[in-house]
Amino acid sequence: MRLILLGAPGAGKGTQAEVIREKLSIPAVSTGNILREAQKNGTELGLKAKSYMESGALVPDEVVIGILKERIAQEDCQNGFILDGFPRTVPQAQALEEMGVEIDRVVDLEVPDETILERMGGRRVCESCGASYHLLYNPPKSPDVCDKDGGRLVIRKDDAPETVRQRLQVYHEQTEPLKAFYESRGKLRIVEGQEEVADTTRLVLQALED
């Protein structure tokens, strides 16, 4: 199954992508993590993306589409994948179609902006593997230490409140139109984000089956 997870920054896409990845045995492809890895390694792509990401702006389409194309051509994506963070604009969605990538289902996680601002303040990310945690909703076993590889957990610059507000504005203006784009193709399923992660997961898995 080839899936897209839509939703504002902090809506819980990464958390749900992990659950679906385990259940369906397909990789979760987070463009954010790929871009951050490129930044960390100091690649040309990473340096290009850095200024955009730190200001809360969208990374240009040609940069994102280039790395995505390389990623989904890899062997582990042959039986399907979950896209988290792509497409972010209607032109990106059109580019995906032009690449011949057929998407089976698009799940949109709906969470109010005020809730997202609260959530982002508690988010921590592993600086080595990119795994995401939340101090309230998905805490690590040990404070400030990643469960997966023991890496240090940090607050990302783009999780700062003023950046989050900017990212939400960009989301509403540029990404939200994707809902209508995929609804017109009969692929959109909307899931209301719940207080408990497990409750949201149950609704997401239902949306994949209907």
Side-chain angles (χ1 to χ4, degrees):
M1 188 177 264
R2 294 175 167 193
L3 306 172
I4 291 172
L5 288 181
L6 285 182
K13 298 186 298 297
T15 302
Q16 297 305 324
E18 279 299 298
V19 175
I20 299 167
R21 179 185 67 78
E22 288 184 14
K23 189 166 179 68
L24 301 183
S25 299
I26 55 176
V29 178
S30 163
T31 47
N33 284 349
I34 295 172
L35 287 167
R36 278 186 284 278
E37 184 68 23
Q39 274 185 58
K40 188 176 148 192
N41 296 335
T43 66
E44 185 185 347
L45 174 69
L47 296 173
K48 217 183 247 187
K50 187 175 182 182
S51 60
Y52 293 97
M53 291 175 75
E54 289 188 346
S55 67
L58 293 181
V59 179
D61 285 2
E62 64 271 17
V63 177
V64 182
I65 290 166
I67 56 158
L68 184 79
K69 208 169 183 177
E70 288 175 2
R71 178 66 187 89
I72 64 176
Q74 292 176 19
E75 196 176 336
D76 64 338
C77 289
Q78 296 315 298
N79 292 324
F81 49 79
I82 308 148
L83 294 185
D84 165 14
F86 185 93
R88 290 199 181 187
T89 63
V90 170
Q92 285 184 354
Q94 290 166 335
L96 203 58
E97 290 186 343
E98 285 161 15
M99 281 163 57
V101 178
E102 180 68 27
I103 297 299
D104 300 309
R105 187 66 46 87
V106 178
V107 176
D108 173 52
L109 293 173
E110 291 281 324
V111 178
D113 286 5
E114 305 74 40
T115 305
I116 283 171
L117 282 161
E118 286 172 20
R119 281 185 182 179
M120 298 292 243
R123 188 149 81 166
R124 300 292 182 272
V125 177
C126 176
E127 63 181 359
S128 58
C129 77
S132 186
Y133 299 87
H134 194 281
L135 300 183
L136 288 178
Y137 305 111
N138 179 33
K141 289 171 186 166
S142 303
D144 302 322
V145 178
C146 178
D147 296 350
K148 296 183 178 178
D149 66 358
R152 190 164 66 103
L153 299 183
V154 295
I155 301 172
R156 286 179 4 204
K157 285 183 183 175
D158 50 1
D159 284 344
E162 62 278 6
T163 309
V164 173
R165 287 191 185 91
Q166 168 64 19
R167 291 172 72 202
L168 285 170
Q169 186 180 341
V170 170
Y171 170 78
H172 291 308
E173 289 172 1
Q174 300 189 34
T175 306
E176 217 159 26
L178 283 169
K179 284 155 63 176
F181 179 87
Y182 284 114
E183 187 170 29
S184 71
R185 284 154 173 74
K187 295 180 178 179
L188 182 72
R189 302 291 183 275
I190 292 177
V191 170
E192 298 286 342
Q194 305 296 305
E195 188 67 31
E196 296 292 329
V197 172
D199 292 334
T200 304
T201 298
R202 181 173 47 79
L203 295 174
V204 167
L205 294 176
Q206 280 176 11
L208 297 183
E209 290 170 3
D210 67 14

